[in-house]
Amino acid sequence: MADLKIVADSAIPFLKGVLEPYARIEYIKGTDISRDDVRDADVLIIRTRTRCNASLLEGSRVRLILTATIGFDHIDLPWCHTHGITVSTAAGCNARGVLQWFAAVMVHLSRTLGFRPEEKTVGVVGVGHVGSLIKSYAESWGFRVVCCDPPREEREHLGFLPLDEVARQADLLTFHVPYQEDTHHLCDARLLSLLRPDCIVMNSSRGAVVDNAALLADGHRAVLDVWEHEPDIDRTLVERVLLATPHIAGYSEQGKANATAISLATLSRQYQLPFGEWYPPTVSPSSPRPISWEELNATIASHYDIAEESRQLKAHPESFEPMRNNYPYRKEYF
């Protein structure tokens, strides 16, 4: 496949050196990938910072876009479908990374606000790869959990609740939905008005799932990993939230390895390349296991100091993008 040309985001980990024997590959900063760069490319391997739409792809020979992310809101899916371009995500790749971000948040809040899990109700909005893990682990730690996921409820009749009811019951409301037209500002001024006064809003999905201006005006406490208008995030909101992180909830070493491995497996199926079982040799796959609330409290700080990370972003919000791009990936340990 020497005539196969691939353009890849230079920040995708573990990729360099893997494909070179099988294709011509160019590594370019994700925000700098241009129409000229992709004109003669067959495949793009990207992250969220590359907008894939007509202005980038019109007139190119691209037939496969692999995004090493769980989301796809940076890709114009209808346009790609109409023009014969296959789009594949790495759905589920970083679910345990986000779980451990959530775990660090829970431990920090329980200590600083003085509560035990059995005293609080967690509302999970979106019960997919990430939300399902959070539901399972939060229940095992003693939290009461209520869930909202209308598509799953319609298919599976699991007893999930409408969004408004979850909002009314939750002490901690956490969002894990894809960003699309019907989830834009899912948490808006109206929903915020339904929350208990001391409810804490948590978002690690996409920034625009929560109306940041409405949240700032409303006054509810929040923990945010994702923000509207990244990387130009609202400085006042950064100062006010309980914890602020730079869109890295899923940035575990295993999550990043999974994303690249999933992308290469899809590429292999499409072009008969030998990467179907590939995994970075320098990374140990995660070993999922239960963890008690007591063990979590005793161990999470040595694996992830979320309070220090928040202090850094609050002190230097202008460094949002460098902090994200140069992030030292955490190791999953449960």
Side-chain angles (χ1 to χ4, degrees), residues 70 98 101-102 105-106 109 123-126 130 134 172-179 183-188 191-192 199-213 215 220-230 237 241-250 304 306 313 320:
I70 61 172
V98 180
W101 175 89
F102 173 83
V105 171
M106 290 296 98
L109 294 181
V124 179
V125 182
V130 176
I134 286 177
L172 302 142
L173 185 65
T174 182
F175 289 87
H176 303 285
V177 297
Y179 180 67
T183 61
H184 177 79
H185 288 177
L186 186 64
C187 182
D188 57 6
L191 191 76
L192 290 166
C199 180
I200 297 170
V201 175
M202 302 169 57
N203 189 18
S204 57
S205 56
R206 284 292 186 269
V209 167
V210 173
D211 183 336
N212 284 196
L215 180 63
H220 269 91
R221 294 174 298 177
V223 173
L224 298 180
D225 177 63
V226 290
W227 312 73
E228 290 198 272
H229 315 302
E230 294 177 12
L237 186 58
V241 297
L242 298 174
L243 289 169
T245 55
H247 199 153
I248 46 68
Y304 183 23
I306 195 170
L313 182 58
F320 183 97

Side-chain angles (χ1 to χ4, degrees), residues 111-176:
R111 289 175 178 171
T112 56
L113 302 179
F115 65 78
R116 291 280 305 169
E118 57 270 19
E119 299 169 345
K120 298 295 181 181
T121 294
V122 173
V124 179
V125 182
V127 196
H129 292 287
V130 176
S132 294
L133 280 177
I134 286 177
K135 176 181 184 296
S136 175
Y137 276 82
E139 286 175 340
S140 76
W141 296 331
F143 291 96
R144 175 175 176 260
V145 179
V146 292
C147 298
C148 170
D149 192 316
R152 282 199 67 192
E153 181 60 25
E154 184 176 350
R155 291 192 309 267
E156 303 170 55
H157 308 292
L158 298 166
F160 294 161
L161 302 176
L163 177 59
D164 286 5
E165 186 57 33
V166 169
R168 290 188 182 97
Q169 293 190 31
D171 300 300
L172 302 142
L173 185 65
T174 182
F175 289 87
H176 303 285

Side-chain angles (χ1 to χ4, degrees), residues 159-318:
F160 294 161
L161 302 176
L163 177 59
D164 286 5
E165 186 57 33
V166 169
R168 290 188 182 97
Q169 293 190 31
D171 300 300
L172 302 142
L173 185 65
T174 182
F175 289 87
H176 303 285
V177 297
Y179 180 67
Q180 50 202 32
E181 186 176 355
D182 62 348
T183 61
H184 177 79
H185 288 177
L186 186 64
C187 182
D188 57 6
R190 186 198 67 83
L191 191 76
L192 290 166
S193 72
L194 302 179
L195 302 181
R196 298 174 178 181
D198 60 351
C199 180
I200 297 170
V201 175
M202 302 169 57
N203 189 18
S204 57
S205 56
R206 284 292 186 269
V209 167
V210 173
D211 183 336
N212 284 196
L215 180 63
L216 192 56
D218 171 83
H220 269 91
R221 294 174 298 177
V223 173
L224 298 180
D225 177 63
V226 290
W227 312 73
E228 290 198 272
H229 315 302
E230 294 177 12
D232 300 316
I233 58 180
D234 189 301
R235 306 294 176 85
T236 305
L237 186 58
V238 173
E239 291 174 5
R240 212 202 69 192
V241 297
L242 298 174
L243 289 169
T245 55
H247 199 153
I248 46 68
Y251 273 31
S252 67
E253 186 177 67
Q254 290 85 353
K256 290 297 182 181
N258 293 341
T260 302
I262 290 169
S263 297
L264 290 185
T266 304
L267 180 68
S268 296
R269 289 192 297 273
Q270 189 91 348
Y271 290 98
Q272 292 76 55
L273 296 175
F275 300 112
E277 302 299 322
W278 180 89
Y279 196 81
T282 58
V283 178
S284 299
S286 57
S287 300
R289 65 179 179 89
I291 185 170
S292 69
W293 180 249
E294 290 70 28
E295 183 188 352
L296 181 66
N297 271 264
T299 58
I300 191 69
S302 63
H303 292 271
Y304 183 23
D305 188 347
I306 195 170
E308 176 56 29
E309 189 170 277
S310 179
R311 280 192 290 270
Q312 290 177 13
L313 182 58
K314 283 173 175 282
H316 301 285
E318 74 283 357

Side-chain angles (χ1 to χ4, degrees), residues 5-12 15 25-41 43-57 60 62 64-68 74:
K5 181 178 176 182
I6 299 171
V7 171
D9 185 321
S10 58
I12 293 175
L15 187 61
I25 183 163
E26 292 182 11
Y27 299 97
I28 303 171
K29 183 180 177 182
T31 52
D32 293 345
I33 295 174
S34 70
R35 188 168 180 148
D36 287 341
D37 295 323
V38 308
R39 190 181 308 279
D40 62 344
V43 179
L44 304 184
I45 308 178
I46 60 166
R47 301 183 306 146
T48 56
R49 292 306 192 235
T50 304
R51 310 296 301 184
C52 292
N53 50 28
S55 65
L56 178 71
L57 299 166
S60 76
V62 171
L64 177 64
I65 297 174
L66 303 168
T67 181
H74 52 299

